[in-house]
Amino acid sequence: YNDLTDLCHEKLSMFGGYIAGSIGDRTMVYFGFPSADGSDTRRAVMAALELSSLFTRKNIILADQCTFKLSYQIGIHTGMVTVRKKKGEKDSIIGLTPNIAGKLCESSQSDTMVLSETTFELVKGIVECEMATPPPGLQESIKKVYRMIGEYRSEGLVMMAETNGIPLIGRKQEIRWLADAIKVWREKQSGKVFLIQGEAGIGKSRLAAETGI
């Protein structure tokens, strides 16, 4: 059990997850802590899919060795949190966001990954989902929940631009610079590194999606 837990934590950390702690067989993981990034939600759902794949592989191996089966439940919600900092102690996070994620996890069926409507809206162009029933006690906080099925085969960032439906405002010059640089790179077939830097939430991922990087 401990080996499996360590392996799950390793997979989550690979996607930038912060392991807040574990109680029994339940682990709380934060994406976007201690620093936020525009890809936090996307990395969270990719980590969930990786864990799902891990459990599937483990169960195939166990099928020939024993009669029991490993199962998992995953709940993901996106939102603001309050960070409490105390000198000499580990930072603690409070607020509705982790509580809602925990409720989604507890109420989900075995071997399912459940997303809140807020999370779904951010990743609907990247992963395939189907409607699910909101858990009791959360109907006022979230109106809709979705069961994640898998990742779309199309490139996630490109699909983000295609499905967003909202025009990108005030970035014409940046798009032109990137488009010109990409054109030169393709013509000369030489290596090129593109760095898009800025504060979280200003649209770095969307800019990359618009140019097809």
Side-chain angles (χ1 to χ4, degrees), residues 44-155:
V45 298
M46 291 298 105
L49 289 170
E50 177 62 26
L51 290 185
S52 174
S53 177
L54 171 65
F55 273 71
T56 299
R57 295 193 301 269
K58 289 290 185 181
N59 279 325
I60 291 174
I61 297 172
L62 288 173
D64 296 328
Q65 302 175 357
C66 52
T67 57
F68 72 86
K69 175 179 177 290
L70 298 171
S71 63
Y72 62 87
Q73 294 167 275
I74 298 175
I76 304 176
H77 178 56
T78 305
M80 301 294 289
V81 298
T82 299
V83 181
R84 284 184 174 175
K85 291 180 175 289
K86 292 184 178 180
K87 189 176 181 179
E89 296 183 13
K90 188 177 180 180
D91 294 345
S92 61
I93 288 182
I94 60 174
L96 283 176
T97 300
N99 291 334
I100 290 175
K103 288 288 186 181
L104 290 174
C105 177
E106 289 176 359
S107 63
S108 64
Q109 298 177 356
S110 295
D111 303 325
T112 59
M113 302 163 282
V114 179
L115 313 181
S116 68
E117 183 177 10
T118 305
T119 300
F120 170 74
E121 288 297 329
L122 293 171
V123 298
K124 61 184 179 183
I126 302 170
V127 294
E128 182 180 1
C129 299
E130 61 183 12
M131 288 284 292
T133 303
L138 281 183
Q139 285 88 344
E140 293 186 4
S141 301
I142 50 176
K143 302 300 182 183
K144 299 177 183 177
V145 298
Y146 297 83
R147 185 178 299 107
M148 185 161 59
I149 299 172
E151 183 181 6
Y152 284 126
R153 293 183 179 275
S154 301
E155 176 60 39

Side-chain angles (χ1 to χ4, degrees), residues 157-168:
L157 284 177
V158 174
M159 288 200 68
M160 183 191 299
E162 292 176 350
T163 61
N164 204 319
I166 302 174
L168 186 62

